[in-house]
Amino acid sequence: MTKPNFDMEAALAQLREGKDLTGKDGILTPLIKQLTEAAMQAELDEHLKDKEQPNRKNGSTSKTVKSPAGSFELSTPRDRAGTFEPQLVKKHQTHLTDELERKIIALFSLGTSYQDIRMHIEDLYGIHVSNGTINAVTDKLLPELQAWRERQLEAVYPIVWLDAIHYKIKENGRFISKAVYTILGLNVEGKKELLGLYLSESEGAHHWLSVLTDLHNRGVQDILIACVDGLKGFPEAIESIYPKTEVQHCIIHQIRNSLKYVASKNQKAFMADLKCVYKAVTLSAAESALDDLEAKWGEKYPIVIKSWRSKWLTLSAYFKYPDYVRTAIYTTNAVEAVHRQFRKLTKTKGGFTNENSLLKLLYAGMLKASERWSHPVQNWNLTLSQLSIHFDGRLDDHIDL
C-alpha cells in the first residue's frame, strides 16, 4: 500500500489557523516522519543491493520516536536475514537528533531546575521527559568532566588565584558541608583558565597541599604569584611544592576578618585609617600608615594589628608593582567572580544528593563562564613585561621576547 504523501495544502491551512509548526501535534511532524521513513527505506535498498546472499524486505517494526518537531510512530524497515542495521535512526534510538540533549544540557548549565527543564521541553517540543532522563543526559558530562580534571596543564602560570566555596552534600543519609577548591589561573597569554575543581570535607592547608601536588603532576612547573585568602598554613603548603612562588594574601579577606573584631561604632573611623595602609602609593608609605594605625588603635584592637603585622610580608607583596599589576593580584576577586557564577547556578538547591550531582553542575557552569575568557585581561602586555623583570628568566622559555 502506498503511504499518503505530506498534504501541503492542509498544512498551509493549519498554519493560517495559527497551529504550531513544531512541538506537540506540530504541522511538520508528519513530513519529518515521511522523510525519515523514506530515507530508511533507501538505506535498506542499498543494503540489499550490496549483499551476495539472498535477502529481501520483511515488513517493518514500529516505535515511538521523539524529535524537536514532536513525537511520532516510526516504521523501521526489516530484512529477512536480519542483517540490516539502520544508520539514520539506529536500533533502540528514541530521539531523532541530539538537539533535545543539547537543549537539556544548555538549560542545566544555567542552573535551571529539573522541574523547569521538564516544563520547558514539554512546551517547546511537546515531549515529556522524566527526571531520570534528564539525569541520564546530564550524566554524560561526567566522563568529560573527568577528562578535564586530568588534562595536562601549561608549564607556567604567571598568576593563580586559589579559594574555596562550600556546599551541602548527602552522605550516609545526612547532609554534610564540603569545600570545593577552585583554582583559577592566568596563562602566559593573559587569558583566564580554570585549572581544576577539588572536593574535600573541609578547607585546610593539608588538603591544599594535595591540590597543589595534583597541579604539579599535571604539568605545572612554576607559578609566579599565588593569590590566596588568609588560611593558616597556606603559604607553607605552596612553598613546599612551588618554593619560588610569591604569595599575595588577599587584602579584602584581611579587611573583612579585621572588621569582625572592631566595634560597629568605630568601624567607619578605623576603615578610614586602614585605607591609608592598603591604598598607599609605596611600601614605605604603607608601613608608616600601619605604624600610625597601631598608635591610634593598637590598645583597643591589638588582635587586629597583630594579624596585619604577622602577615605583613605576604599582605604587602603587591606594593612592588605598578597599579595595573596590583589590581590583578591584591585580591582574589577573580576567582570569587567564578564562585558568584557558581552560586547563581546552585542558589535554588539546598543540598546535593552526591558529589557528582554538584560537580557536573559546576562544570557545566564553568563551560558557560569560560566562553567570556577568550581575550587577555586588561593591560596584559604591560603586566607581562613587569613580571618578566621581577621574575628574571622564569618566563623566557614560555613567551616571545
Side-chain angles (χ1 to χ4, degrees):
M1 179 184 295
T2 304
K3 293 183 179 179
N5 290 325
F6 180 71
D7 191 335
M8 184 61 74
E9 290 187 6
L12 290 173
Q14 291 174 332
L15 187 60
R16 292 191 203 97
E17 292 170 3
K19 190 173 181 180
D20 292 336
L21 281 171
T22 60
K24 190 175 182 180
D25 301 321
I27 297 170
L28 293 181
T29 304
L31 176 60
I32 292 173
K33 168 181 167 66
Q34 180 180 319
L35 292 174
T36 304
E37 291 179 348
M40 294 181 73
Q41 285 290 346
E43 280 187 336
L44 178 58
D45 290 341
E46 191 68 21
H47 175 77
L48 295 175
K49 184 173 65 176
D50 291 343
K51 288 295 178 182
E52 295 181 2
Q53 298 296 325
N55 196 5
R56 59 189 176 87
K57 295 180 180 180
N58 188 33
S60 63
T61 55
S62 181
K63 66 178 177 181
T64 301
V65 173
K66 299 173 182 178
S67 84
S71 300
F72 59 86
E73 289 297 312
L74 179 70
S75 294
T76 303
R78 299 181 304 188
D79 65 326
R80 176 68 68 177
T83 56
F84 174 55
E85 293 283 348
Q87 297 303 305
L88 180 62
V89 183
K90 295 180 173 62
K91 289 181 179 179
H92 311 299
Q93 181 180 337
T94 57
H95 289 87
L96 193 57
T97 72
D98 62 354
E99 181 177 340
L100 280 175
E101 291 189 0
R102 292 197 303 270
K103 178 63 71 174
I104 287 172
I105 289 176
L107 291 168
F108 178 72
S109 68
L110 295 173
T112 310
S113 68
Y114 277 19
Q115 179 181 355
D116 287 343
I117 290 175
R118 290 201 316 270
M119 293 173 60
H120 189 88
I121 297 298
E122 183 88 32
D123 291 342
L124 195 59
Y125 301 123
I127 297 172
H128 173 74
V129 291
S130 65
N131 282 358
T133 298
I134 296 172
N135 203 50
V137 170
T138 56
D139 274 353
K140 292 184 178 182
L141 289 170
L142 293 175
E144 189 179 319
L145 166 63
Q146 189 62 27
W148 175 81
R149 295 176 78 183
E150 295 174 354
R151 77 196 189 283
Q152 281 293 111
L153 299 172
E154 295 185 17
V156 174
Y157 287 89
I159 302 173
V160 169
W161 298 272
L162 308 97
D163 202 2
I165 185 171
H166 297 82
Y167 289 103
K168 297 288 185 181
I169 299 175
K170 196 171 187 179
E171 272 193 8
N172 300 321
R174 64 189 184 93
F175 285 96
I176 63 173
S177 180
K178 289 197 174 186
V180 176
Y181 296 82
T182 308
I183 319 294
L184 180 67
L186 203 62
N187 62 27
V188 293
E189 296 177 348
K191 297 178 182 179
K192 292 178 184 177
E193 177 186 349
L194 201 60
L195 308 186
L197 294 171
Y198 302 84
L199 206 58
S200 174
E201 289 190 10
S202 62
E203 184 180 2
H206 178 74
H207 187 72
W208 272 119
L209 185 61
S210 67
V211 169
L212 293 164
T213 300
D214 181 71
L215 291 183
H216 189 270
N217 291 340
R218 289 165 58 204
V220 181
Q221 300 171 15
D222 195 9
I223 296 171
L224 303 189
I225 303 174
C227 309
V228 304
D229 64 9
L231 180 67
K232 187 177 180 180
F234 204 170
E236 291 78 9
I238 294 172
E239 185 178 6
S240 66
I241 305 297
Y242 298 104
K244 294 183 179 180
T245 296
E246 180 177 282
V247 176
Q248 170 64 58
H249 263 122
C250 175
I251 295 295
I252 303 303
H253 275 86
Q254 180 70 9
I255 293 171
R256 290 173 187 160
N257 291 334
S258 297
L259 288 179
K260 292 177 185 177
Y261 301 96
V262 177
S264 55
K265 64 180 181 180
N266 293 328
Q267 285 187 359
K268 186 175 181 180
F270 182 86
M271 276 302 301
D273 294 333
L274 183 59
K275 190 173 182 180
C276 295
V277 177
Y278 66 87
K279 286 288 188 180
V281 177
T282 64
L283 176 61
S284 61
E287 291 174 339
S288 177
L290 183 59
D291 290 339
D292 293 341
L293 185 76
E294 182 172 11
K296 183 174 179 180
W297 300 100
E299 289 187 11
K300 191 178 290 289
Y301 304 116
I303 191 171
V304 176
I305 303 301
K306 182 180 178 181
S307 176
W308 281 83
R309 291 290 190 192
S310 64
K311 298 176 183 176
W312 185 245
L313 183 64
T314 51
L315 284 170
S316 63
Y318 70 104
F319 282 112
K320 70 179 70 171
Y321 304 106
D323 287 345
Y324 50 83
V325 181
R326 293 186 190 186
T327 301
I329 67 172
Y330 86 103
T331 173
T332 55
N333 270 351
V335 69
E336 288 183 25
V338 176
H339 286 171
R340 284 194 292 273
Q341 177 70 21
F342 286 168
R343 289 189 183 95
K344 287 180 183 178
L345 299 178
T346 59
K347 64 182 178 182
T348 60
K349 298 168 178 62
F352 292 85
T353 54
N354 52 55
E355 292 183 358
N356 281 342
S357 65
L358 169 62
L359 288 174
K360 69 182 179 182
L361 177 56
L362 298 185
Y363 174 67
M366 181 276 299
L367 292 177
K368 192 73 178 175
S370 62
E371 292 174 359
R372 301 191 294 271
W373 299 344
S374 57
H375 300 290
V377 296
Q378 193 172 11
N379 295 316
W380 177 243
N381 288 336
L382 291 173
T383 299
L384 193 61
S385 297
Q386 284 287 323
L387 295 179
S388 297
I389 295 170
H390 284 279
F391 299 93
D392 187 30
R394 289 166 65 181
L395 289 172
D396 290 355
D397 296 334
H398 307 284
I399 61 175
D400 296 325
L401 298 176

